[in-house]
Amino acid sequence: MRSPAPDPEVNQALGAEHGLTADEYAHVVRILGRTPSYTELGIFSVMWSEHCSYKSSKKWLKTLPTTAPWVIQGPGENAGVIDIGDGLAAVFKMESHNHPSYIEPYQGAATGVGGILRDIFTMGARPVANLNALRFGDPSDARTRYLISGVVAGIGGYGNCMGIPTVGGETEFHSAYNGNILVNAMTVGIAQADRIFYSRAAGLGYPVVYVGARTGRDGIHGATMASAEFSEETEEKRPTVQVGDPFTEKLLLEACLELMAGDAIVGIQDMGAAGLTCSSVEMADKGGLGMDMDLDAVPLRADAMSAYEIMLSESQERMLMVLKPGREDMARAVFEKWELEFAVVGTLTDTGRLVVRRGGDVAADIPVGPLVGEAPEYDRPWEAPPGPAPLPEGIGHLPAPPEEVLERLLASPDLASKRWIWEQYDSTVMADTVAGPGGDSAVVRVHGTAKALAITSDCTPRYCKAEPKTGGMQAVAEAWRNLTAVGAKPLALTDNLNFGNPERPPIMGQLVACIQGMTEACRALDFPVVSGNVSLYNETDGEAILPTPTIGGVGLLDDVSRRCGLALVGEGETLILIGSTEGHLGCSLFLREVHDLEAGPPPPIDLAAERATGDLVRGLIRDRLVTACHDISDGGLYVAVAEMAMAGGVGADLSAPEAVPLAAWLFGEDQGRYVVATNDPNAVLARATEAGIAATTIGRTGGNALTLGGQNAISLGKLRHANERWLPAYMAGVAEAG
């Protein structure tokens, strides 16, 4: 075997190449009392990267509400855990793989799915559902079609091979993502509430064990790359993208769950960002212990790998465990049965130091406490975001008949059906998917019970750009509303905070204001944050993405038979609009798609009204007083009713009030509203009156078209053609699709 190449000379300039500032490098030297070795420099650089240390966001993340009586584990572990009753827990988290997916879309997206799956089963949960929140650039951008194709294939390829259903998500387009797409992956799993596994190392002298796939050179500097802006040299970063193997991960999942059925495991951590470095350091730090590691024992698939490369590799499908002494042979037998690597690579010590050896030489000797506890934490300067551009006078008119405007909106990239995407995902494998993609929330039965989890992913970046605090509130409220619309009680959320360069005060101001809005909404809605991820430096050549704090919400249906869908199911039913309507057109898709204008403030959020309205709607669904329910969001009321009609194949006739201009009533995006269909309108209206919630009869179902007062008819077939055609035509390269 060839010997590893000699290490380069370590100095401040090399530290800068690793993403460390001059002050950070000087602090590394102070901690060690000497110049770091090359391996030590690599370890500090990844542990102190934005991706791993949250050094720009920690101050603000601490303000988010994270507790509730049903929260078993909040932020700080591989995933959040909530109690769903009967001795069961839901385990879930969302993470980003934005930079890798732009550089190498198939592998970037695939390994994003693989990484979030490991976060879930390392807690002892069997994954039951995947979601993904995708943001691409303008469809006219030369790279967009290629990126969509690769990302969707990567998500489907990994999730389908794993046998985990992909049940929901969202896909949007905006030119702000031309140079930096977003791929946020979410997974939900089910575990026994008293059998949750954590990453804390414990037990002096206990063995540290490596399991899974072999280690190669793929993904080295992945965490550092994810903490930097893109530039003209982006393509050179292709080697930092990991390569996934879902078949190996499936074996790893089954082997880990099999071993978890016994009492061998003391602590477990997946090797995600920063690979062996992050997993070993975090386990040792949480346990207040040291760790001695012999890298000669690590299974390798590349020749002449150095200590630096082994510690920083982000090769996929790997785990690090602490086992009880004497359980090694039993654990080895489990992993060998599943044809996976198993190696004892270290021991827990009482030194408080991470000692790494390669070829008999000490490659790193670092005090764990300062490595973690003295990681930089910045209170970066921030500027309050400027107000949005004002709306021009008289902008709320209809430039064409309402049915033509509706058809145009439904054919626009953001509202067009994403069936072309979700049909490439297996959404029904495991046979517990009750409602898959296309509704307000996915619904997945808790196997063997009458319960079900409702799951959604939501954010409206254009609101966050115009008024970040309002946008942060709305993202949380929208997730809460989508869970409510299927009849589920919202329990908790995970987030993925995607922003540009936090070293620029206006961008930092977006992050701060969005978190402030999220915090207010979480408190008002009793909807805590239990896990999440921060992805910063999402910009290219100084052009930042829209601020995108994606919210993944999880709720519970105690009785899945009481789930409500959005599809209109019968003729002659009454449509009722629940919630107040002012006709707010600022920041709306109507303005953007019809008037080619991005201006005005986003709709205001009344959190007290949001909660009261949602509680009313859940009660109506629980008591079977409504046959369909849909929350009103992008595109406004007319789009919501059209989606209900297309889903059920039943038309409707609406009656518009005179108090609100027609364009504003049809396409305004006022928040906190739902459309319900019912056979008992008197009971629904009485319940709303009793609760002090605005509720108005707006029409009746029937026929095969949408009409307004019997006029302006447009057939469901025409609407469906417009809605379904755009994405397949675009991906096929049909010119008029763009």
Side-chain angles (χ1 to χ4, degrees), residues 53-193:
S53 74
Y54 298 98
K55 56 190 176 186
S56 297
S57 56
K58 272 190 287 191
K59 169 184 169 67
W60 301 101
L61 295 176
K62 293 172 184 176
T63 65
L64 289 166
T66 60
T67 60
W70 52 88
V71 173
I72 296 172
Q73 175 64 54
E77 268 293 341
N78 288 292
V81 186
I82 57 173
D83 190 336
I84 59 172
D86 299 319
L88 298 174
V91 181
F92 60 98
K93 189 181 182 184
M94 179 182 286
E95 282 208 342
S96 61
H97 237 218
N98 303 335
H99 285 45
S101 297
Y102 184 81
I103 296 168
E104 177 53 67
Y106 183 94
Q107 291 296 348
T111 53
V113 173
I116 195 64
L117 282 166
R118 288 195 303 280
D119 280 338
I120 301 310
F121 69 78
T122 195
M123 301 287 291
R126 179 170 290 278
V128 298
N130 291 330
L131 291 86
N132 50 80
L134 311 177
R135 262 88 190 182
F136 295 105
D138 192 309
S140 65
D141 186 76
R143 194 173 166 87
T144 298
R145 186 181 289 108
Y146 159 76
L147 291 169
I148 296 170
S149 179
V151 165
V152 171
I155 291 170
Y158 210 101
N160 295 352
C161 290
M162 283 289 293
I164 311 297
T166 299
V167 298
E170 51 183 337
T171 304
E172 293 183 342
F173 300 84
H174 194 280
S175 59
Y177 303 104
N178 282 356
N180 203 126
I181 64 173
L182 299 185
V183 176
N184 296 170
M186 178 178 173
T187 295
V188 182
I190 300 293
Q192 295 293 323

Side-chain angles (χ1 to χ4, degrees), residues 212-224:
R214 290 175 173 259
T215 294
R217 289 190 171 90
D218 52 316
I220 295 173
H221 292 306
T224 307

Side-chain angles (χ1 to χ4, degrees), residues 98 171 207 385 389 476 483 556 686 733:
N98 303 335
T171 304
V476 172
L483 298 173
L556 181 66

Side-chain angles (χ1 to χ4, degrees), residues 372-456:
V372 176
E374 296 182 29
E377 180 174 342
Y378 294 121
D379 185 2
R380 295 200 185 276
W382 57 278
E383 296 174 0
L391 282 175
E393 289 290 328
I395 199 63
H397 68 281
L398 285 170
E403 68 274 17
E404 293 181 15
V405 174
L406 174 63
E407 183 180 8
R408 181 172 173 180
L409 279 171
L410 288 174
S412 66
D414 277 7
L415 289 178
S417 169
K418 305 307 185 295
R419 186 183 304 277
W420 182 91
I421 292 175
W422 79 57
E423 285 188 343
Q424 298 184 53
Y425 308 149
D426 190 335
S427 62
T428 60
V429 65
M430 300 177 72
D432 280 318
T433 303
V434 177
D440 288 309
S441 294
V443 178
V444 178
R445 183 184 293 104
V446 178
H447 193 75
T449 76
K451 298 175 184 285
L453 295 177
I455 316 164
T456 187

Side-chain angles (χ1 to χ4, degrees), residues 307-327:
Y308 176 98
E309 292 173 320
I310 296 170
M311 289 300 291
L312 270 63
S313 168
E314 294 186 9
S315 294
Q316 297 292 285
E317 296 89 37
R318 303 178 301 158
M319 293 277 191
L320 198 66
M321 298 179 176
V322 174
L323 299 182
K324 293 180 180 178
R327 302 295 202 279

Side-chain angles (χ1 to χ4, degrees), residues 245-448:
D245 179 356
F247 298 104
T248 298
E249 179 128 332
K250 173 63 173 173
L251 299 177
L252 184 61
L253 162 65
E254 299 300 341
C256 286
L257 293 182
E258 180 176 333
L259 189 60
M260 287 168 169
D263 66 348
I265 298 175
V266 175
I268 180 170
Q269 174 75 40
D270 85 289
M271 296 190 215
L276 192 53
T277 288
C278 199
S279 56
S280 59
V281 169
E282 288 187 357
M283 292 182 79
D285 178 66
K286 289 176 182 177
L289 296 170
M291 188 180 293
D292 275 7
M293 299 186 66
D294 180 6
L295 300 188
D296 293 348
V298 173
L300 304 177
R301 58 177 167 83
D303 194 26
M305 288 187 69
S306 67
Y308 176 98
E309 292 173 320
I310 296 170
M311 289 300 291
L312 270 63
S313 168
E314 294 186 9
S315 294
Q316 297 292 285
E317 296 89 37
R318 303 178 301 158
M319 293 277 191
L320 198 66
M321 298 179 176
V322 174
L323 299 182
K324 293 180 180 178
R327 302 295 202 279
E328 297 94 327
D329 288 344
M330 181 269 288
R332 183 189 304 276
V334 170
F335 284 91
E336 288 182 350
K337 181 186 82 171
W338 291 98
E339 299 182 349
L340 296 167
E341 299 292 337
F342 178 98
V344 178
V345 297
T347 306
L348 296 182
T349 70
D350 61 0
T351 65
R353 304 183 73 85
L354 176 69
V355 179
V356 176
R357 295 179 173 83
R358 177 69 165 142
D361 297 326
V362 174
D365 186 350
I366 303 173
V368 173
L371 173 60
V372 176
E374 296 182 29
E377 180 174 342
Y378 294 121
D379 185 2
R380 295 200 185 276
W382 57 278
E383 296 174 0
L391 282 175
E393 289 290 328
I395 199 63
H397 68 281
L398 285 170
E403 68 274 17
E404 293 181 15
V405 174
L406 174 63
E407 183 180 8
R408 181 172 173 180
L409 279 171
L410 288 174
S412 66
D414 277 7
L415 289 178
S417 169
K418 305 307 185 295
R419 186 183 304 277
W420 182 91
I421 292 175
W422 79 57
E423 285 188 343
Q424 298 184 53
Y425 308 149
D426 190 335
S427 62
T428 60
V429 65
M430 300 177 72
D432 280 318
T433 303
V434 177
D440 288 309
S441 294
V443 178
V444 178
R445 183 184 293 104
V446 178
H447 193 75

